[in-house]
Amino acid sequence: MKNNRFLILIGSICLILVLVALPLFAACPTTTPPTTTTPPTTTPPTTTAPPAWEWPRSLVISTFGMGSWGYALTVAWGTVLEQETGMRVRALPEDNTQVRDRWLRDGITDLTNFSDPIVAPIMGAEGKEAVRNLGPYPFRWVWIMQASNNGFIIRGDSDIETIYDITPETKIAEWSAPGPIAAVSGLLAWVQIDKEDANVIPVASYAETIRGVAEGRYDLTFAAATSSVTYEAEADPHGLRWLELPAAEDPDGALRFKALYPAAGFGEMTTGVASAHGVISLLVPFMYISTPDTETELIYHIAKWFDEEFDAYKDKHEVAPDMNIDNQCWFLENTVLIPVHEGVIQYLKEVGRWTPTMEARHQANLVWQGKYIDAYKAAIAEADAQGIEVDPGNSEWVDLWENYKKDLGLPLYGAFQY
């Protein structure tokens, strides 16, 4: 019994101690282990790389006719471009300038072969170009094809030494085509001989003009240094000589010449027959042209390819070396008669070759081109209002257009003061 009372007493004491201790434990702050905060993972900003350039499925270029150097040249570099890019490059040969012009305007082709002597009469709606659906247009220069070396030849034993020895009695063979006619007119203006007083002999064939000089039937004619008939005449026992065109020494004479034959620059001839090399004469550009609607990025990459891959195609055709960027830039500074495509400007700026001179000429060409386009539209509207048929064979229309240009003070297209 005593033991039971003892155990109850001990249990009571323990209970009392527990009850007394509980408030003390409750009053003690509970210490919790610190929580580790993991900083949020930051993802660096992603920059979306521009998509790699993809060439279109095809590039269509109209060229001079089948068998021409323009067709052969285009096929030559086009084959290389096709192999390197997988893009189909199609050359469409066509001799008719108006057909090539129409194809380009209608978007059938991306590029075409032109030259300054072709562009100038189109932009001025001269002669057969004065039709309703052609005439002045916002063409854009893309890339040089060939730097044609042209000038005036005499036989090797001729008494004529300089252009100032030309007299009204000098027998001048003139091929009946717009370019040579304008060139002869310009030469006579340079030496201040009225064409009506000169002994100019119209000739139907270019080859005949060259052979006629070699054979002594004519004293002088306009010639291309690279033509096969010029090489033939050079091989004649008398040979050929070329008359220097001293533009730097006689700038007034050169201006009179350019007023009638604006489609060339003055420079040293370096191609063609040996007798032409080193002579200051006419450098005439043949070029690929497009329209402002042709995609800028496409033209940029075409220009880039022409420059960067020059070594890959320069030996594929005899005139392909002329397509180097130095020639391109020389003509853009000295002779170009139309604005330059924005894609070409972009590339030349990128490689540091676009110059203030190019920019000034480009801006001037934009202004002149716009004036001719606006004037032609207005002249056609005037002709329609008067019931005059817009046809180059209609003298009423031709007179209206020519008088319209005179009233607006528009010079022969390309005969601008830059």
Side-chain angles (χ1 to χ4, degrees):
M1 181 67 105
K2 287 182 182 179
N3 288 338
N4 288 340
R5 285 200 293 268
F6 179 76
L7 290 171
I8 291 170
L9 177 63
I10 294 299
S12 299
I13 292 170
C14 289
L15 179 60
I16 292 168
L17 290 172
V18 169
L19 292 174
V20 170
L22 279 174
L24 295 174
F25 282 114
C28 293
T30 303
T31 304
T32 57
T35 57
T36 303
T37 303
T38 304
T41 304
T42 57
T43 304
T46 57
T47 56
T48 304
W53 164 251
E54 292 185 6
W55 291 90
R57 293 180 60 186
S58 64
L59 182 71
V60 184
I61 308 157
S62 62
T63 72
F64 305 128
M66 182 71 73
S68 70
W69 67 267
Y71 175 75
L73 173 66
T74 303
V75 170
W77 64 256
T79 300
V80 179
L81 178 60
E82 197 171 72
Q83 291 168 348
E84 292 187 359
T85 65
M87 174 181 63
R88 184 187 179 195
V89 180
R90 185 182 177 198
L92 296 179
E94 175 54 61
D95 274 324
N96 190 309
T97 298
Q98 290 186 327
V99 172
R100 295 202 313 276
D101 185 357
R102 173 51 59 197
W103 285 350
L104 186 68
R105 298 182 194 218
D106 289 347
I108 295 170
T109 58
D110 301 299
L111 303 172
T112 193
N113 291 174
F114 269 6
S115 66
D116 276 356
I118 293 174
V119 165
I122 292 175
M123 288 304 306
E126 307 286 343
K128 68 178 183 178
E129 305 297 342
V131 295
R132 180 182 293 275
N133 60 350
L134 292 175
Y137 188 76
F139 298 116
R140 293 293 185 268
W141 172 293
V142 176
W143 204 263
I144 185 69
M145 292 177 66
Q146 181 190 21
S148 180
N149 291 191
N150 299 343
F152 298 95
I153 58 168
I154 54 177
R155 202 162 82 159
D157 61 352
S158 173
D159 292 335
I160 298 172
E161 296 293 336
T162 75
I163 60 172
Y164 306 105
D165 295 328
I166 297 171
T167 70
E169 288 72 40
T170 302
K171 292 181 290 185
I172 303 174
E174 182 183 78
W175 178 32
S176 301
I181 290 172
V184 169
S185 298
L187 177 65
L188 291 170
W190 190 323
V191 297
Q192 298 181 292
I193 296 175
D194 193 305
K195 194 168 187 179
E196 292 183 359
D197 298 330
N199 188 12
V200 176
I201 305 163
V203 179
S205 160
Y206 167 71
E208 170 62 17
T209 64
I210 309 299
R211 292 184 180 125
V213 169
E215 293 166 6
R217 289 182 283 116
Y218 311 121
D219 297 317
L220 178 154
T221 196
F222 180 73
T226 54
S227 67
S228 58
V229 69
T230 307
Y231 277 97
E232 176 189 314
E234 173 103 322
D236 184 87
H238 295 99
L240 296 176
R241 284 192 290 117
W242 297 76
L243 294 177
E244 191 108 359
L245 298 178
E249 295 79 11
D250 186 1
D252 291 339
L255 283 175
R256 290 193 297 273
F257 179 91
K258 291 281 283 184
L260 296 173
Y261 188 73
F266 300 107
E268 181 180 328
M269 294 193 289
T270 58
T271 62
V273 293
S275 60
H277 293 195
V279 177
I280 302 299
S281 192
L282 301 171
L283 305 184
V284 179
F286 287 77
M287 65 282 194
Y288 293 103
I289 72 165
S290 188
T291 75
D293 296 329
T294 309
E295 184 186 1
T296 297
E297 196 169 9
L298 171 62
I299 298 300
Y300 164 84
H301 279 90
I302 289 173
K304 182 181 176 73
W305 187 88
F306 277 142
D307 181 28
E308 293 186 347
E309 299 303 312
F310 178 67
D311 287 342
Y313 67 83
K314 69 179 182 181
D315 297 324
K316 302 298 182 181
H317 189 274
E318 60 183 351
V319 303
D322 281 4
M323 295 178 68
N324 66 76
I325 194 171
D326 290 335
N327 266 348
Q328 165 86 342
C329 291
W330 189 91
F331 283 105
L332 294 188
E333 285 196 330
N334 292 282
T335 73
V336 61
L337 301 180
I338 57 175
V340 185
H341 196 284
E342 190 59 37
V344 176
I345 296 174
Q346 182 180 326
Y347 177 70
L348 293 179
K349 284 182 176 179
E350 183 179 288
V351 296
R353 297 299 299 266
W354 186 253
T355 67
T357 301
M358 292 179 194
E359 179 66 24
R361 194 174 184 100
H362 170 69
Q363 292 298 330
N365 283 332
L366 283 171
V367 171
W368 283 113
Q369 190 180 70
K371 287 182 177 181
Y372 272 86
I373 291 171
D374 292 344
Y376 199 61
K377 289 178 181 177
I380 290 176
E382 179 67 23
D384 290 342
Q386 295 184 30
I388 297 173
E389 182 184 5
V390 177
D391 186 294
N394 181 5
S395 61
E396 282 188 277
W397 158 243
V398 173
D399 290 343
L400 186 153
W401 171 231
E402 291 302 319
N403 289 329
Y404 212 88
K405 287 188 285 186
K406 288 177 183 176
D407 291 344
L408 292 174
L410 294 177
L412 183 68
Y413 189 86
F416 312 136
Q417 295 296 315
Y418 290 98

